[in-house]
Amino acid sequence: MTENAAWLNEQIDHLAQQQAKFTDRAFWLALKDLIAEQDRRADQLGGEVDGRTWSPDQW
Amino acid sequence: MKTLVLVAHPHLADSSSQQFLKESLPDSGVVWEWLDGQQVLDVDQEQTQLRQADRVIFQFPLYWFAAPASLKQWEDTVLTRKFVYGDHRYPLAGKELGVVVTTGMPGKAFQRGGAEGLTLDAALAPLAAVAQRAKMTWLPTFAIHQFGYLTETEKLQLVVRYQRYLTQSQPDSLTTRQAWFAERLPGMIDRLPVDQQAAGKLIASVFDQKSADLDQLTDTLALIKEQSDD
């Protein structure tokens, strides 16, 4: 996990902890999970872009 | 999206899972009805609710590999042949039908060789056939196994998974999940106490930026793939 991601997770955890309603807490924590999923997908897509761009048979 | 949740449970007040789901309902867009609580089913009213809904959810505990009797009674009373297909109007066509089912056995029990030896898809086949007859779209089933054994974290996750099952566009994908959260974020930020709103807005802006970045990456990749196909 990058420093930025860790920092963002802390922000979300902190906000979630402050919510009195269980369902509000659930929303922010689920958003944290979704952002982690976005990061994974961005890494994977970025990797695929790099891989396809550097394909020697396309040169 | 308008969602109609029909709950079949003979002892609703004693059910911790059903009470939990009721507390987890989204704030808007959902009509919730407890079938066992109806003294007499008002067929016109029930059919009107069905006509008005975009998504219909049957929610119940699995009793002997089927829904409790109140759901069958509702089907037999409300889903008249004439209403569903008899006059060839198909008023439910294009609507979605989903099932939220709770079970006392773990998910792994519901497969061949498992303790129950039957998949949930197989057990729910009669309901799926009703959907097909009505020209409705059958949604993947939302199963909650052994609710009492869930950890606090799992229960928190269940709240939002359940809300998304009720109100998120199908099919469930990263794109539709992002859209669901994006739609709700402004309202969630408004609900925050004033001193927390800056944090909420900051988190939302990071989320929006990541969504935009992903869109761009997806477009770039599509372009590269298109060119390599030439």
Side-chain angles (χ1 to χ4, degrees):
Chain A
M1 190 187 294
T2 64
E3 265 181 47
N4 276 347
W7 175 83
L8 186 67
N9 279 351
E10 270 178 37
Q11 299 294 313
I12 299 178
D13 281 338
H14 184 61
L15 189 66
Q17 278 164 16
Q18 291 174 294
Q19 304 314 307
K21 254 185 101 178
F22 191 73
T23 47
D24 289 348
R25 205 151 70 240
F27 177 87
W28 292 104
L29 292 175
L31 182 65
K32 183 176 80 167
D33 290 344
L34 182 64
I35 289 174
E37 190 182 352
Q38 286 180 316
D39 288 344
R40 279 197 304 278
R41 186 69 63 90
D43 278 350
Q44 289 157 350
L45 290 177
E48 191 174 353
V49 168
D50 285 351
R52 285 178 180 269
T53 314
W54 285 92
S55 173
D57 30 324
Q58 301 287 325
W59 291 352
Chain B
M1 171 180 298
K2 286 182 188 165
T3 303
L4 174 63
V5 180
L6 300 173
V7 181
H9 196 302
H11 312 291
L12 195 72
D14 299 336
S15 166
S16 56
S17 56
Q18 293 299 333
Q19 294 302 323
F20 178 89
L21 293 176
K22 196 173 176 199
E23 292 296 319
S24 301
L25 286 173
D27 290 334
S28 61
V30 176
V31 174
W32 181 95
E33 184 187 341
W34 178 36
L35 298 181
D36 306 67
Q38 311 295 318
Q39 297 283 340
V40 180
L41 283 167
D42 180 338
V43 175
D44 284 344
Q45 163 72 8
E46 295 292 325
Q47 290 181 349
T48 301
Q49 282 189 155
L50 286 170
R51 285 178 205 272
Q52 289 171 346
D54 302 305
R55 181 174 292 174
V56 179
I57 303 291
F58 294 154
Q59 182 173 306
F60 53 83
L62 197 68
Y63 285 177
W64 287 119
F65 310 106
S70 58
L71 182 62
K72 184 65 165 70
Q73 190 186 358
W74 176 90
E75 287 181 81
D76 294 351
T77 309
V78 177
L79 300 181
T80 60
R81 187 183 69 85
K82 189 178 171 209
F83 174 65
V84 176
Y85 67 91
D87 60 4
H88 301 288
R89 284 193 193 145
Y90 293 95
L92 305 179
K95 298 178 188 294
E96 295 168 317
L97 181 61
V99 167
V100 174
V101 62
T102 61
T103 77
M105 294 290 277
K108 66 183 179 186
F110 294 94
Q111 56 185 323
R112 288 213 182 116
E116 301 289 21
L118 182 78
T119 65
L120 283 177
D121 275 350
L124 301 175
L127 293 177
V130 170
Q132 188 183 333
R133 190 53 141 141
K135 298 188 187 289
M136 298 175 85
T137 301
W138 179 254
L139 299 182
T141 295
F142 188 93
I144 302 167
H145 303 291
Q146 299 186 306
F147 174 79
Y149 293 165
L150 296 184
T151 63
E152 203 64 9
T153 303
E154 287 167 335
K155 283 183 181 168
L156 281 162
Q157 291 168 338
L158 177 60
V159 170
V160 175
R161 282 202 304 119
Y162 176 65
Q163 291 183 346
R164 291 198 295 104
Y165 188 71
L166 263 44
T167 57
Q168 181 188 293
S169 300
Q170 288 279 336
D172 181 26
S173 67
L174 180 54
T175 304
T176 51
R177 277 194 288 284
Q178 283 180 158
W180 188 87
F181 278 88
E183 197 181 313
R184 275 153 192 79
L185 259 170
M188 292 302 291
I189 291 170
D190 283 346
R191 294 163 62 125
L192 292 171
V194 179
D195 62 327
Q196 296 171 13
Q197 292 205 349
K201 283 178 186 164
L202 179 68
I203 293 162
S205 72
V206 174
F207 168 72
D208 288 342
Q209 185 59 51
K210 284 176 189 286
S211 302
D213 291 349
L214 267 180
D215 283 347
Q216 199 173 4
L217 264 174
T218 306
D219 288 348
T220 304
L221 195 57
L223 199 65
I224 293 172
K225 281 182 178 173
E226 200 177 299
Q227 283 170 350
S228 64
D229 281 347
D230 288 344

